[in-house]
Amino acid sequence: MKPEQFLQLWQDKPQEEVEKALKTLLNHRLEQAGNHLEWAKVCEELNYHNLAFREVQLAVRDQPQELSALQKLSEMLIERGNSLRAQLHLERLLEISPEHVFALEHLIDIYALQGNQDRINELQTQLDKLGFSTQTSSLLDIDKEQQEP
């Protein structure tokens, strides 16, 4: 079953039934490669964020060089307050695509939280060469709020 088909089939069903069907379907797909990002979108649309997170992790497992999967996982990790793990995936994004603006901007924010000015300067230089300036990420504002006592 394709993600769009699932949404159409279950759109008017009770929430409990939808959740049970979705979990069952996704559990059967754990070892299957492919379509994990599409299923993550379905999960997010239905407000099953933990299932979406798992699907994005599976997408990265299956396609470790896939930029959109790495970016989405980084976003989700930052939203969950795990900037250190996000940092690993953002650095990976830069290894694959050195001009990846999203990765550059968010890494600058993360290194600012860590006080790593040398790395900030390196990344800022890369960003300047691309014609962009840094702005504080709203995603990292979430991270800062979660770190405050």
Side-chain angles (χ1 to χ4, degrees), residues 77-98:
L77 287 165
I78 291 169
E79 288 170 354
R80 291 168 172 251
N82 195 339
S83 59
L84 291 177
R85 246 182 94 204
Q87 177 184 340
L88 298 172
H89 296 289
L90 291 166
E91 288 288 2
R92 186 120 176 265
L93 268 170
L94 277 187
E95 288 174 17
I96 299 166
S97 177

Side-chain angles (χ1 to χ4, degrees), residues 70-120:
L70 287 167
Q71 179 173 329
K72 184 64 177 171
L73 183 55
S74 299
E75 289 173 15
M76 293 176 115
L77 287 165
I78 291 169
E79 288 170 354
R80 291 168 172 251
N82 195 339
S83 59
L84 291 177
R85 246 182 94 204
Q87 177 184 340
L88 298 172
H89 296 289
L90 291 166
E91 288 288 2
R92 186 120 176 265
L93 268 170
L94 277 187
E95 288 174 17
I96 299 166
S97 177
E99 297 180 350
H100 199 284
V101 174
F102 176 90
L104 289 165
E105 290 177 337
H106 286 80
L107 280 169
I108 287 171
D109 289 341
I110 290 171
Y111 286 119
L113 288 172
Q114 297 171 0
N116 187 340
Q117 193 59 48
D118 291 339
R119 186 66 175 134
I120 292 170

